[in-house]
């Protein structure tokens, strides 16, 4: 979901470092990990409790080690390429994205605890929510263009 003002680079404009040679089995495992992470990340765009960013970052990492073409595709994708590039280059996320993400996450967690009132679930969700909140707080806030 790149902002309209941010140009999307062509696939040939994104340079990728080549990793060390790896076995065929390891490459296939990394490709599978990348595809599973990408699938979970896309599902996370529509399912509130499933995170999106961490899975997309995981997919980009796995593809960067197994398929330069797929890694390039992720970085140039019109829906999430801008966010991945901004994160990778340390520019962070817009304040609105941070606030909406935290609001949806904490609201969904509160509904989950209300629907399934168990102490261990509340504790696990509080730890996860706290970690995600801290991580987003630590990221730079990207200023509007």
């Amino acid at each position: 979901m790149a902002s309209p003002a941010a140009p999307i680079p062509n696939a040939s404009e994104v340079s990728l470092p080549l990793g060390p040679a790896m076995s065929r089995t390891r490459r296939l495992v990394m490709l599978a990990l990348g595809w599973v992470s990408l699938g979970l990340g896309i599902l996370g765009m529509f399912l509130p409790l499933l995170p999106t960013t961490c899975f997309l970052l995981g997919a980009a990492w796995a593809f960067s080690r197994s398929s330069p073409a797929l890694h390039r595709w992720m970085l140039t994708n019109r829906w999430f390429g801008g966010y991945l590039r901004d994160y990778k280059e340390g520019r962070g996320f817009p304040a609105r994205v941070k606030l909406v993400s935290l609001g949806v996450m904490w609201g969904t967690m509160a509904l989950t605890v209300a629907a399934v009132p168990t102490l261990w679930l509340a504790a696990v969700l509080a730890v996860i929510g706290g970690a995600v909140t801290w991580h987003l707080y630590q990221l730079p806030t990207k200023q509007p263009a």
Side-chain angles (χ1 to χ4, degrees):
M1 293 186 232
S3 64
I8 298 174
N10 294 325
S12 61
E13 295 174 358
V14 177
S15 62
L16 299 174
L18 294 176
M22 66 172 58
S23 71
R24 177 177 166 81
T25 303
R26 183 168 178 217
R27 182 175 184 272
L28 290 175
V29 168
M30 295 298 277
L31 280 170
L33 180 64
W35 282 112
V36 169
S37 294
L38 178 61
L40 290 172
I42 291 171
L43 280 175
M45 292 176 185
F46 305 101
L47 301 175
L49 274 179
L50 193 61
T52 300
T53 303
C54 64
F55 285 120
L56 292 178
L57 291 171
W61 173 82
F63 288 151
S64 74
R65 282 150 178 76
S66 60
S67 172
L70 288 171
H71 185 239
R72 190 177 304 111
W73 171 78
M74 286 197 70
L75 293 177
T76 59
N77 184 282
R78 73 179 225 179
W79 297 105
F80 47 79
Y83 287 118
L84 291 173
R85 288 189 311 273
D86 287 345
Y87 185 88
K88 181 180 175 185
E89 295 166 8
R91 289 192 294 255
F93 295 111
R96 182 178 183 280
V97 170
K98 288 182 176 185
L99 290 173
V100 168
S101 298
L102 289 174
V104 169
M105 179 189 72
W106 282 108
T108 304
M109 287 182 175
L111 289 173
T112 302
V113 169
V116 186
T118 58
L119 184 58
W120 69 268
L121 178 63
V124 168
L125 290 177
V127 168
I128 291 170
V132 171
T133 301
W134 181 253
H135 178 69
L136 284 177
Y137 174 75
Q138 293 297 312
L139 289 176
T141 300
K142 185 178 176 185
Q143 300 302 318

